[in-house]
Amino acid sequence: MPDPMIITRFAPSPTGALHFGHAWSAVQAHDRARDQGGRFLLRIEDIDGTRSRADHIAGILADLAWLGLSWDGPVLRQSERASVYQAALDRLHDQGLLYPCFCTRADITARLSAPHAGPDGAVYPGSCRAMAPTERQARITAEPHAWRIDMARAVALAGPLDWVDAQASRVTADPLAHGDVVLARKDAPASYHLAVTVDDAAQGVTDVVRGVDLFAATHVHRLLQALLDLPTPTYHHHALLHDQQGNRLAKRSGAPTLAALRAAGEDGAALAQMVRRGQLPIGIAAITP
Ligand code: GLU
C-alpha cells in the first residue's frame, strides 16, 4: 500500500517582514512535501491581533511567490478560527484541566523570587491555581483573565507520551517542565500552543517542518494532541541560520528582508535553489544548538 500523502505547512506570524531564515524554513517544508508528491500548505498565524499586520501578510504571499514556492488550497488564517479554538478549550475545561489566571506580568515577576526557568523561560508559579471557587467566580466576571492548563493534572491524565522527531529518533514528552502554560490569552482567543496544535490537526499536517527553536514547545503540543484526541505529526526541527557574530537571523537583528532582496531585483527562485544546495550567503551558517 502506498504511504499516506505527506502534508507539510509553512506557518509564519505576520508580525514583521520575512528574512532569509524564513526562506530557509519555507523551502525545506515545501520540498519535503513536493519531493514526495505531497501537499504544502500555508497558514498565517495572526492570532496576535495587536502585532499582526495586513501589509506583512501581503509581503509573505509575495515573498513565497518570488521564491517560486506555491501552496495548495486556501490560506488558513488563525484570526478567523476563534470558535474552533474555543471548542478545544471547552473540551479541556470539561476535563477539569483549565483555570483562569488573573496575574499580570508584574504579578508573576513579583512572585518569582528565584525564577524557576523552564524550557521556554520562567515557569508560572501557579498563583491562581489554588484560588477558592467563590473568589474565582467573582473575579471571572469582573477582570480580564487568561486560561492556563493545570499541567500536573493534565500529565497525570494523559500518561506517558512520545513523538518522532527528524531522523526517526523518539523523544519522550516532558510537558511538566513548562509548568501551567497559557492556552487562551487575555488579549487573544488562543495561545500559540493551542492554535498551532489544533490547526496542524485541522489541516491534516503529517510532517511539521520548523526551526529547532520550537523543539521545546513540541512537548506541550504532544500533550495537547493526547488530550484533544488529535493525531501526532512527525516533526522535523531544522537548524537555525546565524550571522557571523553568532546571532540568530531575526527580524530584530536587522537581517536583510526578502522584500528588500525582491525590491533590489534579486532572483528569488535562484535563491531558493541555492538554499536547496546548501549554499548560504557569505557570513551565514546553519547551526543546531
Ligand atoms: N508562527 C510561528 C513563527 O512564525 C511558527 C509556528 C510553527 O511553525 O509551529 O515563528
Side-chain angles (χ1 to χ4, degrees):
M1 228 175 72
D3 285 343
M5 185 194 278
I6 179 168
I7 302 178
T8 66
R9 49 66 165 184
F10 181 54
S13 307
T15 53
L18 300 189
H19 55 70
F20 196 78
H22 293 104
W24 162 254
S25 192
V27 166
Q28 291 184 59
H30 171 274
D31 288 8
R32 182 163 286 279
R34 291 281 192 254
D35 288 352
Q36 298 176 58
R39 288 164 62 80
F40 170 66
L41 309 178
L42 177 60
R43 179 167 76 234
I44 300 293
E45 301 214 320
D46 54 353
I47 194 80
D48 187 335
T50 52
R51 293 178 61 227
S52 298
R53 283 185 11 202
D55 57 327
H56 291 316
I57 298 177
I60 289 166
L61 305 189
D63 288 340
L64 292 177
W66 173 73
L67 288 165
L69 305 180
S70 60
W71 58 90
D72 293 301
V75 177
L76 198 78
R77 290 196 46 182
Q78 291 190 329
S79 57
E80 294 166 357
R81 293 175 53 75
S83 61
V84 180
Y85 306 137
Q86 190 55 52
L89 288 164
D90 289 347
R91 192 155 164 192
L92 296 169
H93 195 267
D94 291 348
Q95 295 175 75
L97 298 176
L98 301 185
Y99 64 87
C101 173
F102 306 93
C103 295
T104 61
R105 252 177 235 275
D107 293 334
I108 295 174
T109 313
R111 288 288 300 240
L112 293 167
S113 45
H116 170 47
D120 260 340
V123 169
Y124 178 64
S127 330
C128 287
R129 193 191 311 124
M131 192 175 285
T134 43
E135 181 183 353
R136 192 169 269 171
Q137 272 321 317
R139 291 182 68 176
I140 268 189
T141 43
E143 287 177 47
H145 51 278
W147 288 91
R148 290 183 180 273
I149 188 162
D150 182 331
M151 194 56 93
R153 189 178 284 198
V155 165
L157 185 69
L161 299 169
D162 58 17
W163 79 86
V164 175
D165 214 290
Q167 276 62 40
S169 70
R170 224 162 240 290
V171 183
T172 301
D174 180 19
L176 210 48
H178 289 256
D180 296 353
V181 294
V182 168
L183 294 188
R185 292 164 37 167
K186 281 182 188 169
D187 60 350
S191 70
Y192 160 68
H193 291 308
L194 185 81
V196 82
T197 306
V198 166
D199 287 345
D200 279 336
Q203 291 189 286
V205 172
T206 62
D207 290 68
V208 171
V209 180
R210 63 183 176 193
V212 72
D213 53 326
L214 292 170
F215 176 86
T218 314
H219 292 277
V220 177
H221 304 169
R222 180 66 191 89
L223 173 73
L224 293 176
Q225 286 154 7
L227 297 171
L228 295 168
D229 278 324
L230 302 175
T232 302
T234 299
Y235 288 87
H236 307 261
H237 287 105
H238 60 69
L240 298 178
L241 299 186
H242 289 68
D243 65 17
Q244 246 155 349
Q245 286 71 46
N247 300 317
R248 218 176 101 189
L249 291 196
K251 291 165 198 167
R252 282 184 301 278
S253 63
T257 63
L258 299 183
L261 298 173
R262 191 154 44 87
E266 298 268 348
D267 181 340
L271 188 129
Q273 275 308 91
M274 274 178 47
V275 167
R276 290 190 174 98
R277 290 197 291 264
Q279 294 170 340
L280 300 174
I282 292 171
I284 294 184
I287 297 177
T288 314

